[in-house]
Amino acid sequence: MTTQSTPLLQKLALVFLIVLGLYFAKDFLIPLCIGGVLATLFLPFCNWMQRKKIPKGLAVFLCLFSLVFMMAALVSLIGWKLSEFLDNFTLIKQKALEIGNHLQEYVFNHLNITAEEQFIILKNEQPSYANIFQIIFGSITSVFASLILVLVYFAFLLYYRNHIKNFLLKLVKPSKQEEMKQVIFSATNVSQQYLLGLSKMIVLLWIMYSIGFSVIGVENAIFFAILCGLLEVVPYIGNITGTVLTVLISAIHGANPSMLGAIIVVYGIVQFIQGWLLEPLILGPQVKINPLFTIIVLVLGQLLWGIPGIILAIPLTAIFKIICDHIESLQPYGFLIGEVSVPKKRDDILQSLKSYLKK
C-alpha cells in the first residue's frame, strides 16, 4: 500500500465513523439539532428583548412561550381543516370500498384467488388490534418525549448561547478567533435565513394554492393548499407528494379528467413562480444547495434519521456549507454542494425586482 493512499483511507474511515455515530446517536442528536435550529430562529428576538433591558431568563421564557404558541396555532389550523375534510369521510370510505371490490375482481380474474381466500391472506398479514394500539401508543409517547426534549434544548441553548460561543472560541488559537466568530455568525445567520424564508414561502404557497384550487373548483381547496405548503419542508419531493395526493383524493371524489389536469396545471404554475421568483428573492444564495446534493442529503437524512432527518437535512447542510466556505481545506466541498451560478440576465431581473420591492 502506497503512502499516498493512506490519507485517503483515513478520510474514508473518518467519514464512515461519523455516519455510524450519526445513526446510533440519533435519539440524542435529533431533538438537540431541532432545538438548536429553532433557537437560531428566535435568537434575534431574544437579543432584541435583552437590549430592551428585559432580563435574560424572562426573554428566553418569552421565546419559549412564543414557540409553543406557534406550534399550537399550527396544530389547531391543521386540525380545523382536517375536521372539515373528514366530514366527507363516508364518501371516501364508499369510494375506497368500490376500488377494493374492483381490485378483488381483478385478482380473481387474473390469479384465480377467490374473495374468501384474499380475506384470509389479508387477515393473516395484518397485525392484531392489540399490536396496532401498542404501536400507536408507543409512537405518541416517543413523539411527546422528543417534543419535551426539543423545548428543553431550545430554552437552554438560548440561555447559554454566549457560554457555548466562548467555548468554541477557546478551541482555536487567538489568531483564529475572529475567523471563528465569523463562522459562528454565518452559521446562525444562514439557519435563521432558511427558516424565516421557508416560513414566508409556505405562507405564499398557501395563498397561491388556495386561489388556484378554489378557482378550478377543488373540494376542500384550503385543506389541500395547506397540505401542499407544509410539505414544502421537503424540497422537490414534498410538493410533488402533496399534488399527487390532491389528484388522487379528487379522483376518489369523482373529479373529471379536466379538473385533474387543471390541478396539475396549477401545480406547474406555482412551481414556476416559486422556482424563478420566490426562492431567489426569499431564500437567497446563502442557503442554496444544488439539486443533486439536495436529493443526496434528503436520502441520507431519511436513511440515518427518518422523517426528522428529511426536515433537518437542508438547514444542517446549509450550515455545513458555511463552515466549509470559511475553512480553506474544506472550501472545495462547499463549492461542490453549492448552487451553480445564476445566469446574468436572470440575476439582473431579480436584482431589479428586489430594488422595486424595497422601494
Side-chain angles (χ1 to χ4, degrees), residues 173-192:
K173 299 177 181 179
S175 59
K176 296 288 185 179
Q177 288 188 353
E178 286 300 322
E179 186 177 359
M180 175 60 79
K181 287 181 182 180
Q182 183 62 33
V183 171
I184 295 172
F185 172 78
S186 299
T188 54
N189 183 65
V190 75
S191 181
Q192 295 166 16

Side-chain angles (χ1 to χ4, degrees), residues 2 16 136 174-175 182 196 210 271 285 289 337:
T2 63
F16 176 76
I136 294 175
S175 59
Q182 183 62 33
L196 287 173
S210 297
Q271 288 306 303
I289 303 167
I337 65 178

Side-chain angles (χ1 to χ4, degrees), residues 230-301:
L230 288 177
L231 288 174
E232 180 60 27
V233 296
V234 184
Y236 304 112
I237 300 172
N239 43 35
I240 295 176
T241 303
T243 304
V244 169
L245 289 175
T246 306
V247 170
L248 289 177
I249 297 177
S250 297
I252 291 175
H253 277 83
N256 53 46
S258 61
M259 177 173 287
L260 300 181
I263 294 174
I264 297 174
V265 170
V266 169
Y267 165 76
I269 294 173
V270 171
Q271 288 306 303
F272 177 81
I273 297 173
Q274 177 189 348
W276 277 84
L277 292 177
L278 298 184
E279 285 186 359
L281 289 173
I282 295 176
L283 291 181
Q286 277 191 305
V287 294
K288 290 295 290 181
I289 303 167
N290 66 63
L292 171 62
F293 278 88
T294 298
I295 299 298
I296 289 175
V297 297
L298 288 174
V299 172
L300 289 176

Side-chain angles (χ1 to χ4, degrees), residues 98-306:
E98 293 177 2
I99 294 173
N101 291 333
H102 289 310
L103 289 175
Q104 280 187 344
E105 293 178 4
Y106 179 85
V107 172
F108 175 73
N109 293 331
H110 292 78
L111 301 178
N112 200 28
I113 301 176
T114 64
E116 292 77 10
E117 292 173 339
Q118 295 176 39
F119 177 77
I120 294 173
I121 293 172
L122 291 175
K123 186 177 180 181
N124 292 333
E125 293 294 331
Q126 290 177 349
S128 64
Y129 289 109
N131 290 336
I132 294 174
F133 178 78
Q134 185 178 4
I135 293 171
I136 294 175
F137 180 76
S139 300
I140 293 174
T141 304
S142 176
V143 169
F144 183 75
S146 298
L147 179 60
I148 295 299
L149 276 177
V150 166
L151 296 177
V152 169
Y153 286 136
F154 170 83
F156 281 109
L157 287 172
L158 271 181
Y159 189 83
Y160 289 106
R161 61 187 185 276
N162 291 329
H163 188 70
I164 297 172
K165 177 182 177 181
N166 292 330
F167 162 73
L168 294 175
L169 293 176
K170 288 180 180 295
L171 292 176
V172 299
K173 299 177 181 179
S175 59
K176 296 288 185 179
Q177 288 188 353
E178 286 300 322
E179 186 177 359
M180 175 60 79
K181 287 181 182 180
Q182 183 62 33
V183 171
I184 295 172
F185 172 78
S186 299
T188 54
N189 183 65
V190 75
S191 181
Q192 295 166 16
Q193 185 180 0
Y194 176 77
L195 291 177
L196 287 173
L198 184 62
S199 301
K200 296 175 184 177
M201 182 89 67
I202 289 174
V203 172
L204 291 173
L205 288 176
W206 285 351
I207 296 172
M208 290 190 293
Y209 277 123
S210 297
I211 295 173
F213 290 158
S214 299
V215 167
I216 64 177
V218 175
E219 291 188 36
N220 301 296
I222 297 179
F223 170 79
F224 289 114
I226 292 174
L227 177 66
C228 292
L230 288 177
L231 288 174
E232 180 60 27
V233 296
V234 184
Y236 304 112
I237 300 172
N239 43 35
I240 295 176
T241 303
T243 304
V244 169
L245 289 175
T246 306
V247 170
L248 289 177
I249 297 177
S250 297
I252 291 175
H253 277 83
N256 53 46
S258 61
M259 177 173 287
L260 300 181
I263 294 174
I264 297 174
V265 170
V266 169
Y267 165 76
I269 294 173
V270 171
Q271 288 306 303
F272 177 81
I273 297 173
Q274 177 189 348
W276 277 84
L277 292 177
L278 298 184
E279 285 186 359
L281 289 173
I282 295 176
L283 291 181
Q286 277 191 305
V287 294
K288 290 295 290 181
I289 303 167
N290 66 63
L292 171 62
F293 278 88
T294 298
I295 299 298
I296 289 175
V297 297
L298 288 174
V299 172
L300 289 176
Q302 194 280 329
L303 290 175
L304 293 175
W305 289 358

Side-chain angles (χ1 to χ4, degrees), residues 34-44 153-155 157-158 192 195:
I34 295 176
V37 170
L38 291 174
T40 62
L41 178 62
F42 281 82
L43 188 57
Y153 286 136
F154 170 83
L157 287 172
L158 271 181
Q192 295 166 16
L195 291 177

